[in-house]
Amino acid sequence: MIFEDQHSLYLRDGNELTEIRPWGLNSFRVRSTKYPKFTGNKNALTMPLAEHTATPIINIEEASHSGIIQNGNLIAKIDAFKNISFFKQNGDLLLKGYQRNRIDDMNAGVDEAKINHFNSALNIDSREFKSNIGGDFELKVRFEADPDEKLFGMGQYQQDFLNLKNAKLELAHRNSQASVPFLISNKGYGFLWNNPAIGEVSFAKNLTEWHALSTKEMDFWITAGDKPSDIEEQYAAVTGTVPMMPEYAMGYWQCKLRYRTQEELLNAAREFKDRNLPIDVIVIDYFHWPKSGEYQFDPTYWPDPKAMTKELHDMGIKLMVSIWPTIDETSSHYNEMKENGYLVQVERGVPITMNFLGNNGFADYTNPQAREYYWQMLKKNYVDLGVDLFWLDEAEPEYTVYNFDNYRYFEGSNLQVGNLYPVKYSQMTYDGMKAAGKNEIINLVRSAWAGSQRYGALVWSGDIDSSFQSLRNQLAIGLNMAIAGIPWWTTDIGGFHGGDNSKKSFQELVTRWFQFATFCPVMRMHGDREPHTKPLSDVGGGKMPSGGPTEPWTYGENTYEILKKYMYLRKNLKSYIKSQMQAAHDKGTPVIRPIFYDFSDDEQSWEIEDEYMFGANILVAPILFEQQKSRTLYLPAGKSWINIYTEQEFEGGQNITVDSPIDQIPLFVTASEYSNLRPAFEPILNS
């Protein structure tokens, strides 16, 4: 039975109720349940809708057992076979449920050709609720596949391709993997899998299938647009945008695996100033604390944090401090947090979720009381001492064993709600900073889900290796994260694991990565360099070793001279970056984005995966292979482009080959903005 109620279209099929509800401009939220009512969970769809949703047009045809609902440029149709299809207003088919089963007598009056198309012995439905023992459901939602379709977004997966068609992705977080299940199709729609359950999605040649291992209902959101920017902005309107990035965060960030002491950190900051190098943020990494779960500076190595932060602020440098969700079972807070239900629980075995320098539980950020308890420790021991921002590490969280079915949160089983964890982690510090009167809030965080952007999430790509292959991965990751609605993204310059500053090959890699990072939303040096230092002691924060240095002057004089120029270039670009950050805040516009985002009418732009736009006017073609001294790139049609090094002008719509010596990353600026932007590039032009 198909019926209308409260401006929505419904399908009742036995004990299953499916709802198609207008949800934002040119958009629908589609839910289905076998329970008496929907859960009421908004998941990522948290923004108010009053000014974004118009009254839909609904038409139910009882004779043909079908119904249509239209919201602006998007039409949904339930056909006689209880299958749902989505169309643009002009009639273009966007997405259609995959259904293969026998046609019963109730549809005898339906067009014979349509019956023949769907009359199948396979008995496969587009929506499949399979009961789990004890309650709730395993869910599969299937759509017809278009072999020529291109799909982009979905978050952060360690692979070097941008188009996700024919890929299979795990809907779960791991160290260096963040599932953000929103995508854009070149057919003109965006799709959000609005379900935080653990699962997988397959964009196969024969069908697209979304799979949740345990859930109470189906929930997805779909939108239509004539341009990628229309789709991205409509998505941001219902899930939220990033705050306005603080101006200091647009410059250079210095980080390494563990500045071990207060004096070591300050000496590094002082040398930046002595060398007159631009630096905006410096970072204290993990185990500056005496024990996991204490959330304070170890006084043996950090004797006067307040004086330290004051000196940094006097130098114009902000301080970021790393925190983990780990609570050592011997820490002073463990028993209280355990008794109050503030820790992630296990379904079987002992409640230890990570083994690192002892047995640890994880703080359960899905519990609002746990978030408040945890925040009060951070405020007292960090914020009140002058710390400016937090690095939310281990945000997946990083279980020692990724047995997702063995963990339970305040909001439900990990299988059902696990992907919400990093959202709530970011929310904890965002809400806390707001309550403390802070307005310039940014959280460096190692994972995210849809909606994380609302809480100032600056996602970085995790503990990646130091190689050109890894660099190629980061380009694809950064662009797909941007399309997935996470405009604040960064990566460890040079990679995290395995770099040795003394090796020429690594110096080359760092140089190329540094150039790429200059044109990322945040430019941040980090890494676990070789060789390691020995631990300072066998107690407290002294237990942990540190990696080798990462400061720009530690890679040899030739490399240093190149890195220095790009640091000044980044500083010069701040006003341009600020305008891009404003667009991200206002509309959800990605700061970095694939070429097709700005040039969707150029069919060739949808094929380009190794270059990108940094804002609206700078095209970046990074060097992604070892010993590469030139490369071919594509200039999109519709604009004239100027090579920043030669000042030669090219018409768009063509491939060209350019030289790329070690001190140059190929850069092109739109001719209309060249005179305005050229002064910013002076540091790399006067070589």
Side-chain angles (χ1 to χ4, degrees):
M1 179 177 67
I2 299 172
F3 62 96
E4 173 187 355
D5 186 36
Q6 296 182 344
H7 304 302
S8 300
L9 188 63
Y10 290 88
L11 169 65
R12 166 65 71 184
D13 182 20
N15 67 340
E16 181 184 357
L17 179 66
T18 301
E19 174 194 74
I20 306 175
R21 178 178 291 274
W23 202 280
L25 188 65
N26 307 314
S27 308
F28 292 118
R29 184 183 186 184
V30 184
R31 291 184 290 178
S32 188
T33 184
K34 289 196 171 184
Y35 283 105
K37 61 181 180 180
F38 296 111
T39 64
N41 295 335
K42 291 184 177 180
N43 298 323
L45 299 175
T46 55
M47 301 304 290
L49 290 173
E51 61 186 71
H52 301 297
T53 305
T55 301
I57 300 170
I58 299 176
N59 183 27
I60 297 173
E61 298 180 1
E62 295 184 4
S64 62
H65 309 287
S66 65
I68 293 175
I69 181 170
Q70 179 175 351
N71 181 21
N73 194 25
L74 183 61
I75 297 170
K77 179 178 181 179
I78 303 175
D79 64 24
F81 313 117
K82 305 168 188 175
N83 197 19
I84 302 175
S85 304
F86 300 93
F87 303 83
K88 274 189 174 180
Q89 189 175 9
N90 64 6
D92 289 349
L93 176 64
L94 300 176
L95 200 60
K96 185 173 188 175
Y98 179 97
Q99 198 147 320
R100 300 289 187 274
N101 35 31
R102 293 188 183 278
I103 306 305
D104 57 32
D105 291 336
M106 70 170 283
N107 294 311
V110 178
D111 182 84
E112 194 69 27
K114 293 181 180 178
I115 291 179
N116 291 338
H117 179 69
F118 287 102
N119 198 8
S120 169
L122 292 174
N123 196 26
I124 298 174
D125 287 323
S126 59
R127 301 177 300 282
E128 178 185 344
F129 288 89
K130 181 179 179 181
S131 295
N132 288 330
I133 295 174
D136 295 335
F137 300 92
E138 179 182 2
L139 172 67
K140 293 181 179 179
V141 179
R142 306 179 179 100
F143 295 100
E144 297 281 355
D146 179 346
D148 297 323
E149 186 174 19
K150 300 181 189 302
L151 302 169
F152 307 91
M154 290 301 297
Q156 180 166 280
Y157 294 87
Q158 295 296 327
Q159 52 207 23
D160 62 2
F161 52 88
L162 193 61
N163 179 12
L164 301 173
K165 183 61 180 176
N166 297 324
K168 182 178 181 180
L169 306 175
E170 183 182 41
L171 300 176
H173 308 309
R174 298 172 183 260
N175 184 344
S176 78
Q177 174 177 296
S179 174
V180 188
F182 174 69
L183 61 85
I184 283 179
S185 165
N186 67 327
K187 295 176 69 174
Y189 71 88
F191 184 96
L192 168 69
W193 180 248
N194 192 38
N195 189 327
I198 304 298
E200 60 189 10
V201 60
S202 176
F203 301 116
K205 185 176 182 179
N206 59 327
L207 86 163
T208 293
E209 183 176 81
W210 297 84
H211 181 197
L213 293 174
S214 180
T215 191
K216 290 180 169 59
E217 65 189 18
M218 180 189 79
D219 190 347
F220 66 83
W221 178 87
I222 184 170
T223 191
D226 294 329
K227 298 180 294 183
S229 57
D230 297 337
I231 296 168
E232 198 75 44
E233 290 167 18
Q234 287 160 198
Y235 172 72
V238 296
T239 61
T241 64
V242 288
M244 180 58 193
M245 179 174 277
E247 189 166 341
Y248 69 79
M250 302 175 197
Y252 175 79
W253 297 35
Q254 173 59 33
C255 184
K256 64 168 286 185
L257 183 72
R258 299 196 70 247
Y259 286 109
R260 298 169 296 172
T261 69
Q262 179 173 322
E263 196 61 20
E264 186 178 326
L265 179 92
L266 287 173
N267 284 338
R270 292 165 186 153
E271 184 155 1
F272 271 92
K273 290 302 175 180
D274 290 343
R275 291 173 177 265
N276 197 31
L277 292 175
I279 176 174
D280 290 87
V281 178
I282 197 164
V283 185
I284 300 173
D285 203 342
Y286 72 115
F287 242 86
H288 59 270
W289 49 75
K291 182 181 293 186
S292 286
E294 297 302 333
Y295 301 105
Q296 62 183 357
F297 290 102
D298 186 333
T300 303
Y301 307 103
W302 308 87
D304 195 347
K306 201 164 190 177
M308 174 184 65
T309 56
K310 182 181 185 306
E311 182 175 347
L312 290 171
H313 291 163
D314 288 345
M315 288 188 280
I317 302 173
K318 301 292 186 180
L319 177 63
M320 181 169 73
V321 168
S322 168
I323 56 174
W324 285 19
T326 50
I327 316 292
D328 191 293
E329 65 178 352
T330 64
S331 76
S332 60
H333 301 290
Y334 182 85
N335 286 333
E336 182 180 5
M337 294 185 74
K338 180 181 178 183
E339 290 169 4
N340 283 290
Y342 295 166
L343 300 179
V344 173
Q345 305 298 307
V346 296
E347 305 284 24
R348 54 192 179 273
V350 295
I352 299 302
T353 48
M354 187 181 192
N355 182 267
F356 183 83
L357 295 183
N359 293 326
N360 295 268
F362 285 131
D364 181 0
Y365 301 120
T366 74
N367 183 335
Q369 292 177 313
R371 292 199 298 269
E372 178 61 23
Y373 179 95
Y374 190 104
W375 170 253
Q376 290 306 321
M377 291 188 288
L378 300 185
K379 182 178 185 301
K380 175 184 176 182
N381 296 324
Y382 296 115
V383 177
D384 291 349
L385 298 178
V387 170
D388 300 290
L389 61 163
F390 289 102
W391 175 357
L392 312 183
D393 209 344
E394 302 291 325
E396 301 78 23
E398 187 179 7
Y399 294 109
T400 294
V401 180
Y402 285 109
N403 285 336
F404 295 114
D405 65 326
N406 192 35
Y407 306 111
R408 180 168 292 274
Y409 300 112
F410 174 82
E411 289 198 5
S413 72
N414 185 33
L415 286 183
Q416 290 199 359
V417 304
N419 287 327
L420 284 175
Y421 189 91
V423 182
K424 300 300 184 179
Y425 196 178
S426 292
Q427 183 183 359
M428 181 268 298
T429 49
Y430 181 84
D431 288 350
M433 292 290 259
K434 277 285 189 185
K438 308 292 184 181
N439 293 314
E440 294 187 331
I441 304 171
I442 182 169
N443 297 308
L444 182 66
V445 60
R446 203 175 69 186
S447 192
W449 193 69
S452 284
Q453 68 275 6
R454 286 188 60 204
Y455 302 112
L458 163 62
V459 185
W460 101 96
S461 53
D463 296 346
I464 54 178
D465 68 291
S466 298
S467 67
F468 274 95
Q469 177 61 61
S470 183
L471 175 57
R472 293 192 288 276
N473 293 349
Q474 304 322 298
L475 175 57
I477 288 168
L479 297 178
N480 270 329
M481 281 290 276
I483 293 299
I486 308 292
W488 290 359
W489 177 86
T490 185
T491 180
D492 295 350
I493 293 175
F496 183 72
H497 289 299
D500 186 333
N501 295 5
S502 66
K503 294 184 177 180
K504 293 293 185 183
S505 59
F506 185 64
Q507 292 169 6
E508 179 192 359
L509 176 64
V510 165
T511 301
R512 293 309 194 185
W513 209 309
F514 203 91
Q515 292 165 346
F516 164 64
T518 304
F519 300 94
C520 284
V522 163
M523 181 186 190
R524 172 180 152 273
M525 176 67 78
H526 187 49
D528 182 10
R529 304 286 187 258
E530 300 291 347
H532 282 75
T533 63
K534 294 181 179 179
L536 294 172
S537 72
D538 60 357
V539 295
K543 289 181 181 179
M544 291 299 301
S546 179
T550 63
E551 293 79 16
W553 55 84
T554 62
Y555 300 97
E557 190 61 28
N558 291 339
T559 300
Y560 171 55
E561 289 301 319
I562 298 172
L563 304 190
K564 183 165 58 174
K565 293 173 184 177
Y566 283 88
M567 293 175 74
Y568 285 120
L569 170 57
R570 179 76 183 197
K571 180 181 179 181
N572 289 353
L573 284 170
K574 270 195 176 181
S575 62
Y576 176 78
I577 296 170
K578 187 175 182 180
S579 66
Q580 311 312 314
M581 293 298 176
Q582 189 68 56
H585 170 59
D586 292 342
K587 301 184 295 182
T589 306
V591 180
I592 59 173
R593 59 261 199 168
I595 300 297
F596 68 74
Y597 190 89
D598 296 275
F599 301 94
S600 57
D601 290 338
D602 181 351
E603 291 187 10
Q604 181 63 23
S605 73
W606 293 90
E607 306 290 337
I608 305 302
E609 300 199 354
D610 60 353
E611 58 191 80
Y612 64 99
M613 295 299 296
F614 180 61
N617 295 293
I618 300 175
L619 185 148
V620 185
I623 301 302
L624 302 170
F625 293 88
E626 191 171 8
Q627 295 294 309
Q628 187 176 7
K629 297 297 190 297
S630 67
R631 64 156 292 175
T632 299
L633 57 89
Y634 179 72
L635 297 173
K639 297 275 187 181
S640 294
W641 301 89
I642 295 181
N643 183 330
I644 201 69
Y645 303 103
T646 66
E647 297 193 298
Q648 184 177 0
E649 185 170 346
F650 298 87
E651 283 301 312
Q654 62 174 314
N655 291 299
I656 64 170
T657 300
V658 295
D659 293 332
S660 53
I662 189 62
D663 62 341
Q664 293 183 9
I665 179 174
L667 298 168
F668 286 78
V669 174
T670 55
S672 60
E673 288 297 314
Y674 178 71
S675 60
N676 294 326
L677 286 171
R678 188 190 183 284
F681 291 91
E682 287 293 340
I684 61 171
L685 299 180
N686 297 328
S687 300

